[in-house]
Amino acid sequence: MSNQTFQTTHGVVTLIPRHFNWLVNEFVVELKLTPPNLWGWGVTATLPEEMENKITPEFAEQWASEAIGKLV
């Protein structure tokens, strides 16, 4: 499965599908926010693999709204 992207008011949210993460020793999905005009800075969240089917455009918008606060 390839990465899925969502355009939000705070930038592009990319869903990185299920993969094994050695840091937590389990399968996870990741969300990555890439906002415009922040010189390549972004925010990434690691979530349990069960969340993959629950990530919708609305979920991505809400998460981006909270994540942008970590950068600015």
Side-chain angles (χ1 to χ4, degrees):
M1 184 179 207
S2 63
N3 296 352
Q4 185 177 3
T5 59
F6 304 95
Q7 184 64 45
T8 71
T9 56
H10 300 288
V12 176
V13 172
T14 304
L15 170 61
I16 302 166
R18 179 183 182 269
H19 63 280
F20 192 80
N21 183 313
W22 291 99
L23 294 175
V24 295
N25 203 29
E26 61 186 40
F27 283 92
V28 297
V29 295
E30 291 181 348
L31 286 179
K32 179 180 179 185
L33 171 63
T34 308
N37 303 323
L38 286 181
W39 304 281
W41 287 92
V43 176
T44 302
T46 302
L47 305 170
E49 66 179 315
E50 297 83 28
M51 290 293 297
E52 187 169 16
N53 294 331
K54 298 176 182 172
I55 298 172
T56 63
E58 295 79 18
F59 183 96
E61 183 70 45
Q62 182 179 357
W63 180 78
S65 175
E66 295 173 15
I68 195 73
K70 309 281 190 246
L71 291 172
V72 294

